[in-house]
Amino acid sequence: MTPMDTNLSGAKLGTVDPMAELKRLRKSIDNIDAALIHMLAERFRCTQTVGALKAEHDLPPADPAREKEQIARLRRLADEADLDPEFAETFLNFVIKEVIRHHEAIAAERGMTP
Amino acid sequence: MTPMDTNLSGAKLGTVDPMAELKRLRKSIDNIDAALIHMLAERFRCTQTVGALKAEHDLPPADPAREKEQIARLRRLADEADLDPEFAETFLNFVIKEVIRHHEAIAAERGMTP
């Protein structure tokens, strides 16, 4: 026990050394970040294939109805997981912006206007 | 087989119906998005606890050395997973911005300046 463990403020954090607790939480954050990076990498592998498929078969690059469904679903999932639905929507838009950038690059490679 | 399956262009996508393939890919994207939303929800649970811990023990809210390490690690993980490291860094900054917003809200609740 260190003097920091005496918990004079009546916090619910108990008698754990705060620096040890911080280290423990950061390890979880690092694990989650690795999972997020790999999930994002896999998502872009899927959207790259979608981009190639759409270019190959002259399918329209954007699908507003699909996007609307995606946003509504992610907001619902976020709400259920106690994540701010606004943040979930902003996050999806952030990712979609990157997808569009990739699709434009695919179209440019094939000499098409996106 | 539909006329779209004849693959006249010699694409590597084979003889699969493109709409069926699009549907299949979108199902994967939806699964990945659900995983991302739940990972993000869990990450914010961790950072909320970090915020409370820091406020409780008067630890500095920002830690530039830690952030620098996080960015370097995520860029490396992204590179290994064929994800653009620039995107990974932008993504982390996007998430950290939301974390700071949460921490400011915690500090405001406790009547502190963040």
Side-chain angles (χ1 to χ4, degrees):
Chain A
M1 294 261 292
T2 70
M4 289 183 91
D5 294 331
T6 50
N7 198 15
L8 291 170
S9 61
K12 286 178 218 126
L13 295 160
T15 56
V16 178
D17 170 10
M19 293 315 289
E21 179 68 3
L22 186 60
K23 202 177 163 188
R24 195 188 66 80
L25 287 160
R26 283 178 167 176
K27 184 70 198 163
S28 288
I29 291 165
D30 286 345
N31 283 344
I32 292 167
D33 281 348
L36 285 167
I37 289 297
H38 287 93
M39 281 282 118
L40 283 167
E42 189 58 23
R43 193 189 196 281
F44 287 122
R45 285 170 58 86
C46 291
T47 51
Q48 295 277 26
T49 310
V50 167
L53 188 77
K54 284 181 169 179
E56 193 65 44
H57 296 277
D58 291 325
L59 299 169
D63 187 337
R66 153 83 177 154
E67 265 185 47
K68 209 175 155 191
E69 270 172 26
Q70 281 176 290
I71 289 169
R73 177 173 173 266
L74 288 200
R75 287 187 71 105
R76 197 179 64 245
L77 288 175
D79 192 45
E80 285 166 8
D82 283 331
L83 180 72
D84 179 4
E86 276 305 302
F87 175 80
E89 182 167 346
T90 310
F91 167 73
L92 185 67
N93 286 328
F94 173 80
V95 172
I96 287 175
K97 212 172 127 189
E98 182 74 4
V99 170
I100 290 168
R101 204 176 65 79
H102 291 178
H103 285 190
E104 283 172 354
I106 292 173
E109 266 175 37
R110 292 173 184 243
M112 296 158 62
T113 48
Chain B
M1 294 262 290
T2 70
M4 289 182 90
D5 293 331
T6 49
N7 198 18
L8 291 171
S9 59
K12 288 179 215 123
L13 294 160
T15 54
V16 177
D17 171 10
M19 293 316 289
E21 180 66 3
L22 185 61
K23 201 177 165 187
R24 196 189 66 80
L25 287 161
R26 284 178 167 177
K27 183 71 197 164
S28 289
I29 292 166
D30 286 346
N31 283 344
I32 291 167
D33 281 348
L36 284 167
I37 288 298
H38 287 93
M39 281 282 120
L40 283 168
E42 189 57 22
R43 194 190 196 278
F44 287 122
R45 284 169 59 86
C46 290
T47 52
Q48 296 276 26
T49 309
V50 168
L53 188 77
K54 284 182 169 179
E56 194 65 44
H57 296 278
D58 290 326
L59 298 171
D63 187 337
R66 155 83 177 155
E67 264 185 48
K68 211 176 152 188
E69 271 171 26
Q70 281 177 289
I71 287 168
R73 176 174 173 267
L74 288 200
R75 288 187 71 106
R76 198 178 64 245
L77 288 175
D79 192 45
E80 285 166 9
D82 284 330
L83 180 71
D84 179 4
E86 277 304 302
F87 176 79
E89 182 167 346
T90 310
F91 168 72
L92 184 67
N93 287 328
F94 173 80
V95 172
I96 287 175
K97 211 172 128 191
E98 182 73 4
V99 170
I100 291 169
R101 205 176 65 79
H102 291 177
H103 285 190
E104 284 172 354
I106 292 173
E109 266 176 35
R110 292 170 185 245
M112 297 158 64
T113 49

